[in-house]
Amino acid sequence: GEAKNLPTYPGPNKMRDCYCTVNLDQEEVFRTKIVEKSLCPFYGEDFYCEIPRTFRHLSFYIFDRDVFRRDSIIGKVAIQKEDLQKYHNRDTWFQLQHVDADSEVQGKVHLELRLSEVITDTGVVCHKLATRVLECQGLPIVNGQCDPYATVTLAGPSRQVLHTKVKKKTNNPHFDEVFYFEVTRPSSYNKKSHFDIEDVDEVDKMEIRVDLWNASNLKFGDEFLGELRLPLKFLRQSSSYEAWYFLQPRDNGNKSLKPDDLGSLRLNVVYTEDHVFSSDYYSPLRDLLLKSADVEPVSASAAHILGEVCREKQEAAIPLVRLFLHYGRIVPFISAIANAEVKRTQDPNTIFRGNSLTSKCIDETMKLAGMHYLQVTLKPIIDEICQVHKPCEIDPVKLKDGENLENNRENLRQYVDRIFTVITKSGVSCPTVMCDIFFSLRESAAKRFQGDLDVRYTAVSSFIFLRFFAPAILSPNLFQLTPHHPDPQTSRTLTLISKTIQTLGSLSKSKSANFKESYMATFYDYFNEQKYADAVKNFLDLISSSGRRDHKSIEQPILLKEGFMIKRAQGRKRFGMKNFKKRWFRLTNHEFTYQKSKGDHPLCSIPIENILAVERLEEESFKMKNMFQVIQPERRVLYIQANNCVEAKDWIDILTKVSQCNKKRLTVYHPSAYLNGHWLCCKATADNTPGCTPCTGGLPANIQLDIDGDRETERIYSLFNLYMPKLEKMQEACGSKSVYDGPEEEEYSTFIIDDPKETYKTLKLIIEGVGTLEQEHAQYKRDKFKKTKYGSQEHPIGDKSFQTYIRQQSEISAHSI
């Protein structure tokens, strides 16, 4: 969020240029932009990451950028892993703490200690201690290097300090060195430099200390990495001991440092940790969820129920969308919930405007599936806006000195025009999964509100413009278009563009009335032309058309592209010449046709479902540039030459796009033509020989997401488990609804229950499935508790979270006894 009350800079202007980093222990994983000349910098940046390793602290550092020397640290906030749940998903102010090498510690050390009695020649017993430093793991890398070594000290009346060798360039050093210390000596040995102890109880007062250091080549001396102090008395029970330990910060002799006020930092941390079993554990719950699209009514399905009981619909949407995408069921599921929502909508103007499960699921799908689409469409212009900083303020009140309102308006108009054009020309790049969802939204809306001809457009534009492009322009950092939140001036420019694009895409009748601000209404007059509305409609038509078989009965053909090109005769007539002719080509979402000239009767018509591949053709086939081929059943090929390379790419893209869902799409093709009795590419003689080259995937329209279905099911189980009281309440509501169908009882009216019996059945299965998984988790924890050794590599001594876990488990087992 932000920092406040940072200490003033000692120089004359007192202000600082600060940035904040996010660290796992001491490893930086994210850095905000620099906020200049402020002691209360506002960042407002979101960072999301999968945590790839174990960690002890999530830390946040505030740095002051210094032009002349290294950036200096002002302070830090370090949250222990086991405390993250305390602050989960709520804004919290944290005091900044001092940062010094003594408090910055990470990593663990593996030690073996052995205390043995030695009988001397005179028959007197003395004690020797063997300390073996085996290895360390996860030491910090300081200034880009880590050359660690360890010192071992026996602290008692006499101090002995021994060193390991330095291990170069590793933060996981293997030492495996043994050091011997004499703990007690026979009394006859009376050199003053050694100590004389006969009483073994004195051993209890001693401690062994292991310090880790980074061998520095700087003149400041070696850097402290962490220490470990072990009293020898614990060796009284067993003479040898071997364990892993977490390194600890240096003990400053409890000097009470007066904490300076370094200011504070506002953070909102959302931390989730799921323990995922193997796939078979999740089958019952997963199958129940994946069936959701087929349940009648859909409000009685497991996925819809999850949306009903979660506090935020977003919580349910994220794992549901990922699960359905992973199993290829997202389109039927979203179609089903969208259809149910449309039926409940009374006014076509409010269609998909609420924060329902449908809208959150579509948002999430667009975010996952449309990331690449946004990159290719918006990123180049957004980058330019962020770098060039053209003034675009059109509010007369906010104009800076020396700015000209007309110039600013023109700058803004050009940006809006360019962004509008790239969006409306980008239909061909829209991912298939989004197009299929838009097709079903459009059909549901048109069927429900037959009197409103525009609703088929507004149903789609409410997502693609209002919830996809406009937010991405407004906050490009949230859609990975820019690494950071833009500066205030750029942010203002993007806000004005986003508002205009949103209104252009909304197709509402009285556009200027949409704006509260008169300067926006005036600016919008530039765009109040029919060509803008037509471009939006054409774009929406393209992205919501479908490549399915049964579509002809449902929708009118939509013209996607047309124009003159040259084609080679397909040799239908037995004695016909296979020559080249200029023809008018026309592509709709139903068929690809050509005729002699525009408006004539088609000479040939290829149904979209008969297009099995669209690929470039190698130049040497006919010694002609810009050629491509449309491959049909029985290996019939139509060879076409476009007017230029851009046009060729456009045709290939759009033909690939509309035929992408065809069942029999080819996987291989011939990049050259079949001439003079053989294929030029592979020299095969039969004209029906399968292709010799893999087909290109077309556009990156079908997304392959890296999703773990079991993990998403575990997340959904955790949510159901968290909201179990609500599930039980919903069950009661189903019971009371089916028995008592009078006025709805107040406490149950929060749930959508269309069919109490079906909903009750599903709830029963959910509660059983969740109960079974809960028992599995409890059993796993009990088994783990029995097997886990404190001091093992996974749970080193000093692991607070494990100590807490042990305490909880022993309380549970005591309770169960």
Side-chain angles (χ1 to χ4, degrees):
E2 60 190 308
K4 67 178 181 190
N5 306 331
L6 298 179
T8 55
Y9 188 70
N13 71 5
K14 302 196 168 177
M15 292 295 163
R16 293 181 183 266
D17 300 342
C18 295
Y19 60 91
C20 180
T21 66
V22 182
N23 297 52
L24 289 175
D25 297 319
Q26 283 161 265
E27 182 188 4
E28 184 182 314
V29 290
F30 176 72
R31 179 180 289 210
T32 67
K33 64 175 185 302
I34 294 168
V35 175
E36 296 183 338
K37 300 185 179 60
S38 172
L39 297 177
C40 296
F42 178 81
Y43 298 105
E45 295 204 28
D46 287 272
F47 169 65
Y48 168 84
C49 82
E50 292 283 333
I51 296 179
R53 60 171 177 81
T54 54
F55 68 104
R56 287 162 73 185
H57 292 94
L58 182 65
S59 306
F60 302 83
Y61 293 79
I62 297 270
F63 285 87
D64 183 11
R65 184 185 60 177
D66 197 313
V67 183
F68 304 109
R69 53 194 177 84
R70 273 183 23 212
D71 297 354
S72 53
I73 298 181
I74 296 173
K76 72 167 179 180
V77 170
I79 308 171
Q80 285 189 339
K81 180 184 172 183
E82 49 276 16
D83 291 339
L84 284 170
Q85 284 306 109
K86 287 186 203 167
Y87 309 109
H88 178 75
N89 205 7
R90 57 196 176 90
D91 274 16
T92 311
W93 282 98
F94 293 89
Q95 278 301 118
L96 286 168
Q97 305 297 323
H98 269 284
V99 176
D100 58 26
D102 294 350
S103 68
E104 291 284 282
V105 163
Q106 70 180 58
K108 51 193 175 186
V109 59
H110 189 189
L111 282 192
E112 189 180 345
L113 301 174
R114 195 179 295 272
L115 187 64
S116 44
E117 294 185 340
V118 181
I119 299 173
T120 60
D121 299 344
T122 55
V124 181
V125 174
C126 68
H127 290 82
K128 279 200 169 185
L129 173 71
T131 304
R132 183 176 174 207
V133 183
L134 287 134
E135 61 179 313
C136 293
Q137 276 190 346
L139 298 177
I141 292 171
V142 186
N143 301 331
Q145 59 113 32
C146 189
D147 298 339
Y149 69 91
T151 61
V152 185
T153 312
L154 177 67
S158 161
R159 289 172 73 82
Q160 287 173 278
V161 183
L162 302 169
H163 291 242
T164 66
K165 292 189 180 76
V166 174
K167 297 289 178 184
K168 290 275 186 189
K169 295 184 179 158
T170 173
N171 62 338
N172 299 317
H174 280 261
F175 297 111
D176 204 359
E177 293 187 41
V178 185
F179 302 97
Y180 295 97
F181 298 94
E182 290 184 328
V183 179
T184 60
R185 285 189 172 281
S187 51
S188 58
Y189 196 96
N190 57 12
K191 267 195 183 175
K192 290 283 177 242
S193 62
H194 290 90
F195 50 95
D196 175 3
I197 305 169
E198 286 179 329
D199 185 356
V200 178
D201 288 344
E202 286 294 317
V203 174
D204 289 359
K205 294 176 186 165
M206 295 185 181
E207 66 174 13
I208 192 88
R209 195 172 119 194
V210 178
D211 291 78
L212 272 129
W213 299 86
N214 183 23
S216 170
N217 41 18
L218 301 170
K219 58 178 184 287
F220 308 122
D222 296 349
E223 284 139 324
F224 172 77
L225 300 179
E227 71 170 17
L228 181 62
R229 292 177 172 222
L230 297 173
L232 291 193
K233 63 180 173 201
F234 75 88
L235 286 171
R236 292 285 291 278
Q237 284 88 28
S238 110
S239 60
S240 82
Y241 194 81
E242 181 230 338
W244 282 86
Y245 294 86
F246 270 138
L247 289 168
Q248 301 299 337
R250 187 181 279 160
D251 182 6
N252 284 324
N254 299 330
K255 284 182 222 155
S256 55
L257 281 168
K258 179 181 173 290
D260 295 347
D261 191 9
L262 298 174
S264 47
L265 183 63
R266 178 168 65 83
L267 301 168
N268 186 332
V269 179
V270 178
Y271 175 71
T272 53
E273 184 179 290
D274 292 314
H275 296 269
V276 185
F277 289 128
S278 57
S279 214
D280 44 329
Y281 284 86
Y282 297 108
S283 296
L285 184 59
R286 184 175 52 232
D287 296 347
L288 187 63
L289 288 158
L290 292 174
K291 264 196 345 216
S292 293
D294 310 320
V295 173
E296 283 287 330
V298 74
S299 61
S301 69
H304 194 279
I305 288 169
L306 181 68
E308 287 296 288
V309 296
C310 281
R311 200 183 62 193
E312 302 279 337
K313 299 275 189 248
Q314 182 83 356
E315 264 185 312
I318 293 172
L320 283 175
V321 163
R322 295 174 74 89
L323 182 74
F324 283 109
L325 268 171
H326 182 66
Y327 288 101
R329 302 280 296 144
I330 191 72
V331 178
F333 169 63
I334 286 182
S335 302
I337 56 174
N339 208 9
E341 185 176 326
V342 169
K343 282 180 183 160
R344 287 194 291 271
T345 306
Q346 298 307 315
D347 177 0
N349 294 318
T350 62
I351 198 161
F352 300 126
R353 287 300 165 91
N355 277 332
S356 60
L357 183 65
T358 309
S359 56
K360 289 294 179 196
C361 282
I362 296 175
D363 285 356
E364 203 50 42
T365 307
M366 292 193 301
K367 243 184 179 173
L368 283 170
M371 217 41 109
H372 183 276
Y373 179 31
L374 281 177
Q375 298 279 335
V376 294
T377 314
L378 294 181
K379 190 167 173 27
I381 299 185
I382 300 274
D383 284 347
E384 186 188 319
I385 293 169
C386 292
Q387 284 156 15
V388 178
H389 288 105
K390 274 188 190 170
C392 293
E393 183 54 75
I394 54 168
D395 180 353
V397 181
K398 292 185 179 170
L399 272 191
K400 289 185 186 155
D401 290 345
E403 283 186 359
N404 178 309
L405 188 59
E406 277 313 306
N407 288 353
N408 287 11
R409 262 199 206 132
E410 182 52 25
N411 289 343
L412 186 62
R413 191 190 66 73
Q414 284 179 10
Y415 278 148
V416 169
D417 231 347
R418 283 174 61 195
I419 285 187
F420 177 79
T421 306
V422 293
I423 290 173
T424 50
K425 288 250 170 24
S426 71
V428 70
S429 313
C430 185
T432 311
V433 69
M434 283 167 64
C435 295
D436 289 348
I437 289 169
F438 296 150
F439 171 72
S440 87
L441 297 182
R442 168 194 179 115
E443 294 307 308
S444 287
K447 203 167 162 187
R448 170 84 172 86
F449 300 107
Q450 290 175 2
D452 188 327
L453 295 178
D454 275 344
V455 76
R456 55 196 277 195
Y457 293 116
T458 50
V460 177
S461 72
S462 62
F463 285 103
I464 193 79
F465 280 103
L466 272 63
R467 305 177 81 113
F468 185 64
F469 283 121
I473 296 165
L474 186 65
S475 307
N477 54 310
L478 297 185
F479 292 80
Q480 281 142 46
L481 295 172
T482 57
H484 300 301
H485 192 64
D487 62 77
Q489 184 190 326
T490 309
S491 207
R492 174 70 179 154
T493 302
L494 294 173
T495 304
L496 295 169
I497 296 170
S498 178
K499 275 184 172 185
T500 317
I501 291 292
Q502 197 169 324
T503 310
L504 274 167
S506 69
L507 288 169
S508 54
K509 309 287 183 292
S510 55
K511 294 288 179 77
S512 301
N514 279 3
F515 297 108
K516 299 183 192 75
E517 311 94 335
S518 57
Y519 62 85
M520 279 305 290
T522 316
F523 174 67
Y524 196 80
D525 288 342
Y526 286 127
F527 303 97
N528 237 339
E529 292 178 39
Q530 191 56 37
K531 66 173 186 183
Y532 289 102
D534 291 345
V536 169
K537 285 188 175 178
N538 287 342
F539 168 65
L540 295 174
D541 278 335
L542 175 55
I543 63 170
S544 60
S545 64
S546 159
R548 298 173 199 188
R549 290 175 179 279
D550 58 349
H551 53 267
K552 293 181 186 170
S553 55
I554 310 168
E555 47 176 34
Q556 289 299 304
I558 296 159
L559 178 66
L560 301 177
K561 191 169 175 64
E562 58 181 348
F564 275 115
M565 289 191 289
I566 292 168
K567 65 107 196 160
R568 181 177 186 251
Q570 296 183 73
R572 294 169 178 227
K573 297 176 186 156
R574 196 145 179 204
F575 303 107
M577 291 282 288
K578 289 194 177 179
N579 54 0
F580 287 88
K581 290 182 176 162
K582 192 174 184 181
R583 292 287 181 254
W584 181 262
F585 283 85
R586 201 165 180 277
L587 174 67
T588 72
N589 55 330
H590 292 179
E591 59 186 358
F592 182 45
T593 60
Y594 61 80
Q595 52 238 48
K596 271 194 171 164
S597 46
K598 191 174 180 177
D600 286 0
H601 188 73
L603 297 169
C604 168
S605 166
I606 304 170
I608 292 297
E609 53 265 34
N610 281 359
I611 298 177
L612 306 187
V614 183
E615 296 287 348
R616 293 186 179 282
L617 187 71
E618 286 177 356
E619 253 177 61
E620 57 265 28
S621 299
F622 301 108
K623 305 285 185 278
M624 293 163 71
K625 282 185 180 301
N626 307 320
M627 286 201 73
F628 63 94
Q629 48 183 322
V630 177
I631 306 168
Q632 304 161 64
E634 289 144 27
R635 308 236 168 247
R636 292 234 325 277
V637 185
L638 173 61
Y639 296 119
I640 303 171
Q641 184 188 33
N643 300 322
N644 56 51
C645 59
V646 175
E647 185 113 294
K649 184 184 184 317
D650 279 355
W651 276 105
I652 293 169
D653 283 353
I654 199 158
L655 282 161
T656 304
K657 185 77 188 62
V658 291
S659 61
Q660 206 148 26
C661 300
N662 290 349
K663 298 273 187 293
K664 295 180 182 167
R665 272 187 73 82
L666 295 178
T667 52
V668 288
Y669 78 106
H670 290 286
S672 287
Y674 182 77
L675 292 173
N676 307 326
H678 69 273
W679 291 100
L680 298 180
C681 40
C682 58
K683 306 293 183 272
T685 50
D687 65 352
N688 60 355
T689 309
C692 57
T693 305
C695 287
T696 49
L699 294 159
N702 285 325
I703 42 159
Q704 280 302 310
L705 288 165
D706 181 20
I707 293 174
D708 178 342
D710 300 330
R711 179 178 160 172
E712 301 308 327
T713 316
E714 170 62 34
R715 186 89 287 273
I716 292 169
Y717 148 76
S718 301
L719 288 168
F720 274 137
N721 205 15
L722 179 65
Y723 293 111
M724 187 54 78
K726 278 194 173 180
L727 287 171
E728 287 161 353
K729 196 122 188 212
M730 201 171 180
Q731 237 183 351
E732 285 171 33
C734 289
S736 83
K737 263 186 104 104
S738 46
V739 175
Y740 167 79
D741 240 348
E744 196 158 353
E745 288 187 31
E746 192 55 43
E747 59 178 319
Y748 300 142
S749 62
T750 50
F751 303 116
I752 292 175
I753 301 172
D754 297 320
D755 183 332
K757 275 190 188 155
E758 276 302 311
T759 310
Y760 189 88
K761 271 191 219 163
T762 309
L763 281 160
K764 193 163 175 289
L765 290 169
I766 292 171
I767 291 168
E768 279 170 14
V770 169
T772 309
L773 277 168
E774 202 177 356
Q775 284 169 1
E776 295 290 358
H777 276 290
Q779 185 58 49
Y780 174 78
K781 278 184 179 166
R782 282 195 293 273
D783 294 348
K784 191 175 170 203
F785 176 61
K786 283 178 199 157
K787 288 178 200 155
T788 303
K789 179 176 166 236
Y790 191 39
S792 64
Q793 194 171 348
E794 292 75 39
H795 300 287
I797 294 171
D799 181 351
K800 293 211 176 76
S801 58
F802 186 66
Q803 286 168 309
T804 315
Y805 171 70
I806 286 192
R807 198 167 55 247
Q808 287 167 349
Q809 290 305 314
S810 49
E811 281 164 14
I812 291 167
S813 48
H815 179 67
S816 60
I817 290 163

